[in-house]
Each structure stands twice: as structure tokens, then as C-alpha cells.
Coordinates of all heavy atoms in Angstrom, one line a residue:
M59 N 0.8 -1.2 0.0 CA 0.0 0.0 0.0 C 0.9 1.2 0.0 O 1.9 1.3 0.7 CB -0.9 0.0 1.2 CG -1.8 1.2 1.2 SD -2.8 1.7 2.7 CE -3.4 0.3 3.4
G60 N 0.5 2.2 -0.8 CA 1.4 3.4 -0.9 C 1.0 4.5 0.1 O 0.0 4.3 0.9
Q61 N 1.8 5.5 0.2 CA 1.6 6.5 1.1 C 0.7 7.6 0.5 O 0.7 7.9 -0.7 CB 2.9 7.2 1.5 CG 3.9 6.5 2.3 CD 5.1 7.3 2.7 OE1 5.3 8.3 2.1 NE2 5.8 6.8 3.7
T62 N -0.1 8.3 1.4 CA -0.8 9.4 0.9 C 0.1 10.6 0.9 O 1.3 10.6 1.5 CB -2.0 9.7 1.9 OG1 -1.4 10.2 3.2 CG2 -2.9 8.5 2.1
D63 N -0.3 11.7 0.3 CA 0.5 12.9 0.3 C 0.8 13.4 1.7 O 1.9 13.8 2.0 CB -0.2 14.0 -0.5 CG -0.1 13.8 -2.1 OD1 0.7 12.9 -2.5 OD2 -0.9 14.4 -2.8
K64 N -0.2 13.3 2.6 CA 0.0 13.8 3.9 C 1.0 13.0 4.7 O 1.8 13.5 5.4 CB -1.4 13.9 4.7 CG -2.2 15.0 4.3 CD -3.4 15.2 5.1 CE -4.2 16.4 4.6 NZ -5.0 16.9 5.7
Q65 N 1.0 11.7 4.5 CA 1.9 10.8 5.1 C 3.3 11.1 4.6 O 4.3 11.1 5.4 CB 1.6 9.3 4.9 CG 0.4 8.8 5.6 CD -0.1 7.4 5.2 OE1 0.0 7.1 4.0 NE2 -0.5 6.7 6.1
F66 N 3.5 11.3 3.3 CA 4.8 11.6 2.8 C 5.3 12.9 3.3 O 6.5 13.0 3.7 CB 4.8 11.6 1.3 CG 6.1 11.8 0.6 CD1 7.1 10.8 0.7 CD2 6.3 13.0 -0.1 CE1 8.3 11.0 0.1 CE2 7.6 13.1 -0.7 CZ 8.6 12.2 -0.5
C67 N 4.4 13.9 3.4 CA 4.8 15.2 3.9 C 5.3 15.1 5.4 O 6.3 15.7 5.8 CB 3.7 16.2 3.8 SG 3.5 16.8 2.1
A68 N 4.6 14.3 6.2 CA 5.0 14.1 7.6 C 6.3 13.4 7.6 O 7.2 13.8 8.5 CB 3.9 13.2 8.3
F69 N 6.6 12.4 6.8 CA 7.9 11.8 6.7 C 9.0 12.8 6.4 O 10.0 12.8 7.1 CB 7.8 10.7 5.6 CG 9.1 10.0 5.4 CD1 9.7 9.1 6.3 CD2 9.8 10.2 4.2 CE1 10.8 8.5 6.1 CE2 11.0 9.5 3.9 CZ 11.5 8.7 4.9
L70 N 8.7 13.6 5.4 CA 9.7 14.7 5.1 C 10.0 15.6 6.3 O 11.1 16.0 6.5 CB 9.3 15.4 3.8 CG 9.4 14.6 2.6 CD1 8.9 15.5 1.4 CD2 10.8 14.1 2.3
R71 N 8.9 16.0 6.9 CA 9.0 16.9 8.1 C 9.9 16.3 9.2 O 10.7 16.9 9.8 CB 7.7 17.3 8.7 CG 7.0 18.4 7.9 CD 5.8 19.0 8.7 NE 4.8 18.0 8.9 CZ 3.8 17.7 8.1 NH1 3.7 18.3 6.9 NH2 2.9 16.8 8.4
M72 N 9.7 15.0 9.4 CA 10.5 14.3 10.4 C 12.0 14.3 10.0 O 12.8 14.5 10.8 CB 10.0 12.8 10.5 CG 10.8 12.0 11.5 SD 10.2 10.3 11.6 CE 10.7 9.7 10.0
I73 N 12.3 14.1 8.7 CA 13.7 14.1 8.3 C 14.3 15.5 8.4 O 15.4 15.7 8.9 CB 13.8 13.6 6.8 CG1 13.5 12.1 6.8 CG2 15.2 13.9 6.3 CD1 13.3 11.6 5.3
I74 N 13.5 16.5 8.0 CA 14.0 17.9 8.2 C 14.3 18.3 9.6 O 15.3 18.9 9.9 CB 13.0 18.9 7.5 CG1 13.0 18.6 6.0 CG2 13.3 20.3 7.9 CD1 11.9 19.3 5.3
D75 N 13.4 17.8 10.5 CA 13.6 18.1 11.9 C 14.9 17.4 12.4 O 15.6 18.0 13.2 CB 12.4 17.5 12.7 CG 12.4 17.9 14.2 OD1 12.6 19.1 14.5 OD2 12.3 17.0 15.0
E76 N 15.1 16.2 12.0 CA 16.4 15.5 12.4 C 17.6 16.2 11.9 O 18.6 16.4 12.5 CB 16.3 14.0 12.0 CG 15.4 13.2 12.9 CD 15.7 11.7 12.7 OE1 16.8 11.3 12.7 OE2 14.7 11.0 12.7
L77 N 17.5 16.7 10.6 CA 18.6 17.4 10.0 C 18.9 18.7 10.7 O 20.0 19.1 10.9 CB 18.3 17.7 8.5 CG 18.4 16.4 7.6 CD1 17.9 16.7 6.2 CD2 19.8 15.9 7.5
D78 N 17.8 19.4 11.2 CA 18.0 20.6 12.0 C 18.7 20.3 13.3 O 19.6 21.1 13.6 CB 16.6 21.3 12.3 CG 15.9 21.9 11.1 OD1 16.6 22.1 10.0 OD2 14.7 22.1 11.1
D79 N 18.4 19.2 13.9 CA 19.1 18.9 15.2 C 20.5 18.6 14.9 O 21.4 19.0 15.6 CB 18.4 17.6 15.8 CG 17.1 17.9 16.4 OD1 16.7 19.1 16.6 OD2 16.3 16.9 16.7
I80 N 20.8 17.9 13.8 CA 22.2 17.6 13.4 C 23.0 18.9 13.1 O 24.1 19.1 13.6 CB 22.2 16.7 12.2 CG1 21.7 15.3 12.6 CG2 23.7 16.6 11.6 CD1 21.5 14.4 11.4
E81 N 22.3 19.8 12.4 CA 23.0 21.1 12.1 C 23.3 21.9 13.3 O 24.4 22.5 13.4 CB 22.1 21.9 11.2 CG 22.7 23.2 10.7 CD 21.8 23.9 9.8 OE1 20.6 23.9 9.9 OE2 22.4 24.6 8.8
L82 N 22.5 21.8 14.4 CA 22.7 22.6 15.6 C 23.8 21.9 16.5 O 24.3 22.6 17.4 CB 21.4 22.7 16.4 CG 20.4 23.6 15.7 CD1 19.1 23.6 16.4 CD2 20.9 25.0 15.5
E83 N 24.1 20.7 16.3 CA 25.0 20.0 17.2 C 26.4 20.5 16.9 O 26.9 20.6 15.8 CB 25.0 18.4 16.9 CG 25.9 17.6 17.7 CD 25.6 17.8 19.2 OE1 24.5 17.7 19.7 OE2 26.6 18.1 19.9
N84 N 27.1 20.8 18.0 CA 28.5 21.3 17.9 C 29.6 20.2 18.1 O 30.7 20.4 17.6 CB 28.7 22.4 19.0 CG 27.9 23.7 18.7 OD1 27.7 24.0 17.5 ND2 27.4 24.2 19.7
D85 N 29.3 19.2 18.7 CA 30.2 18.1 19.0 C 30.3 17.2 17.7 O 29.4 16.6 17.3 CB 29.8 17.3 20.2 CG 30.7 16.1 20.5 OD1 31.7 15.9 19.8 OD2 30.4 15.3 21.4
P86 N 31.5 17.2 17.0 CA 31.6 16.5 15.8 C 31.3 15.0 16.0 O 30.8 14.4 15.0 CB 33.1 16.7 15.4 CG 33.5 17.9 16.1 CD 32.7 17.9 17.4
E87 N 31.7 14.4 17.1 CA 31.5 13.0 17.3 C 29.9 12.7 17.4 O 29.4 11.8 16.8 CB 32.2 12.5 18.5 CG 32.1 11.0 18.7 CD 33.0 10.5 19.8 OE1 34.0 11.1 20.1 OE2 32.5 9.5 20.5
K88 N 29.3 13.5 18.2 CA 27.8 13.3 18.3 C 27.1 13.6 17.0 O 26.2 12.9 16.6 CB 27.3 14.2 19.4 CG 25.8 14.0 19.7 CD 25.4 14.7 21.0 CE 23.9 14.3 21.3 NZ 23.4 15.1 22.4
K89 N 27.6 14.6 16.2 CA 27.0 15.0 14.9 C 27.2 13.8 14.0 O 26.2 13.4 13.3 CB 27.7 16.2 14.4 CG 27.1 16.7 13.1 CD 27.8 17.9 12.6 CE 27.2 19.1 13.2 NZ 27.3 20.4 12.5
S90 N 28.3 13.2 14.0 CA 28.5 12.0 13.1 C 27.6 10.9 13.5 O 27.0 10.2 12.6 CB 30.0 11.6 13.3 OG 30.2 10.4 12.5
K91 N 27.4 10.6 14.8 CA 26.5 9.6 15.3 C 25.0 9.9 14.8 O 24.3 9.0 14.5 CB 26.6 9.4 16.8 CG 27.8 8.7 17.2 CD 27.9 8.6 18.7 CE 29.2 7.9 19.1 NZ 29.3 7.7 20.6
L92 N 24.6 11.1 14.9 CA 23.3 11.5 14.5 C 23.1 11.3 13.0 O 22.0 10.8 12.6 CB 23.0 13.0 14.9 CG 22.8 13.3 16.4 CD1 22.8 14.8 16.6 CD2 21.6 12.6 17.0
I93 N 24.1 11.7 12.3 CA 24.0 11.4 10.8 C 23.9 9.9 10.5 O 23.1 9.5 9.6 CB 25.2 12.1 10.1 CG1 25.1 13.6 10.2 CG2 25.3 11.6 8.6 CD1 26.4 14.3 9.8
E94 N 24.7 9.1 11.2 CA 24.7 7.7 10.9 C 23.3 7.1 11.3 O 22.8 6.3 10.6 CB 25.8 7.0 11.7 CG 25.9 5.5 11.5 CD 26.1 5.1 10.1 OE1 26.6 5.9 9.2 OE2 25.8 3.9 9.7
R95 N 22.8 7.6 12.5 CA 21.4 7.1 12.9 C 20.4 7.4 11.8 O 19.5 6.6 11.5 CB 21.1 7.7 14.2 CG 19.7 7.1 14.8 CD 19.4 7.7 16.1 NE 18.9 9.1 15.9 CZ 18.7 9.9 16.8 NH1 18.9 9.6 18.1 NH2 18.3 11.2 16.6
L96 N 20.4 8.6 11.3 CA 19.5 9.1 10.3 C 19.6 8.2 9.0 O 18.7 7.7 8.4 CB 19.6 10.5 10.0 CG 18.7 11.1 8.8 CD1 17.3 10.9 9.1 CD2 19.0 12.5 8.6
R97 N 20.9 7.9 8.6 CA 21.2 7.1 7.4 C 20.6 5.7 7.6 O 19.9 5.2 6.7 CB 22.7 7.1 7.2 CG 23.0 6.4 5.8 CD 24.4 5.9 5.8 NE 24.7 4.8 6.7 CZ 24.3 3.5 6.6 NH1 23.5 3.2 5.5 NH2 24.6 2.7 7.4
K98 N 20.8 5.1 8.8 CA 20.3 3.8 9.1 C 18.8 3.7 9.1 O 18.2 2.8 8.5 CB 20.8 3.3 10.4 CG 22.3 2.9 10.4 CD 22.7 2.3 11.7 CE 24.2 1.9 11.7 NZ 24.7 1.4 13.0
N99 N 18.2 4.8 9.7 CA 16.7 4.8 9.7 C 16.2 5.0 8.3 O 15.1 4.3 7.9 CB 16.2 6.0 10.5 CG 16.4 5.8 12.0 OD1 16.5 4.6 12.5 ND2 16.4 6.8 12.7
L100 N 16.8 5.8 7.4 CA 16.3 5.8 6.0 C 16.5 4.6 5.3 O 15.6 4.1 4.5 CB 17.1 7.0 5.3 CG 16.7 8.4 5.8 CD1 17.6 9.4 5.2 CD2 15.3 8.7 5.5
Q101 N 17.6 3.9 5.5 CA 17.9 2.6 4.8 C 16.9 1.6 5.3 O 16.4 0.8 4.5 CB 19.3 2.1 5.2 CG 19.7 0.8 4.5 CD 19.8 1.0 3.0 OE1 20.2 1.9 2.5 NE2 19.2 0.0 2.3
N102 N 16.5 1.5 6.6 CA 15.6 0.6 7.1 C 14.2 0.8 6.5 O 13.4 -0.1 6.1 CB 15.4 0.6 8.6 CG 16.7 0.1 9.3 OD1 17.4 -0.8 8.7 ND2 16.9 0.4 10.5
T103 N 13.9 2.1 6.3 CA 12.6 2.5 5.6 C 12.5 2.0 4.2 O 11.5 1.5 3.7 CB 12.4 4.0 5.6 OG1 12.4 4.5 7.0 CG2 11.1 4.4 5.0
L104 N 13.6 2.1 3.5 CA 13.7 1.5 2.1 C 13.5 0.0 2.1 O 12.9 -0.5 1.1 CB 15.0 1.9 1.4 CG 15.2 3.3 1.0 CD1 16.6 3.5 0.5 CD2 14.2 3.7 -0.1
E105 N 14.0 -0.7 3.1 CA 13.9 -2.1 3.1 C 12.6 -2.7 3.6 O 12.4 -3.9 3.4 CB 15.1 -2.6 3.9 CG 16.4 -2.4 3.3 CD 17.6 -2.7 4.2 OE1 17.4 -3.1 5.3 OE2 18.8 -2.4 3.8
E106 N 11.8 -1.8 4.1 CA 10.5 -2.3 4.6 C 9.5 -2.6 3.5 O 9.5 -2.1 2.5 CB 9.8 -1.3 5.6 CG 10.6 -1.2 6.9 CD 10.0 -0.2 7.8 OE1 9.1 0.6 7.4 OE2 10.5 -0.1 9.0

């Protein structure tokens, strides 16, 4: 079953929110971990 436009927009808002958090992070190690977590979450979404 496909996503509705509203579901897709909510998904994009969630990604943008996580990217905003990453951008605000000053600690390079924590920033790297946040990026890796986002990448893994996106990969898992593709595999579902």
C-alpha cells in the first residue's frame, strides 16, 4: 500500500527536523552519530 501525500509530507518533516538537530550539534562525534542514525533509519525504511 502506498503513502498518501499527507503521510509523505509528515515523513519529510521528520527528516527535516532531524537534519535541523544535526545542524545545531557542535560536537563532531555526536554529529557524526546523529548522521549515521538518520542514514540507518532511512535505509531501514527503504527495506520495509
Side-chain angles (χ1 to χ4, degrees):
M59 181 190 323
Q61 288 185 345
T62 66
D63 286 345
K64 285 189 178 202
Q65 288 171 321
F66 184 68
C67 287
F69 175 72
L70 291 178
R71 279 193 299 274
M72 181 182 67
I73 293 172
I74 291 167
D75 187 51
E76 287 196 41
L77 288 171
D78 287 343
D79 290 345
I80 291 168
E81 185 177 35
L82 293 173
E83 180 57 54
N84 291 322
D85 180 1
E87 188 174 324
K88 187 169 182 184
K89 184 178 276 204
S90 180
K91 287 180 182 181
L92 291 170
I93 292 169
E94 181 60 21
R95 184 180 73 188
L96 177 58
R97 189 200 64 76
K98 284 182 181 179
N99 287 339
L100 291 171
Q101 183 64 42
N102 289 339
T103 301
L104 284 175
E105 294 171 0
E106 292 178 353

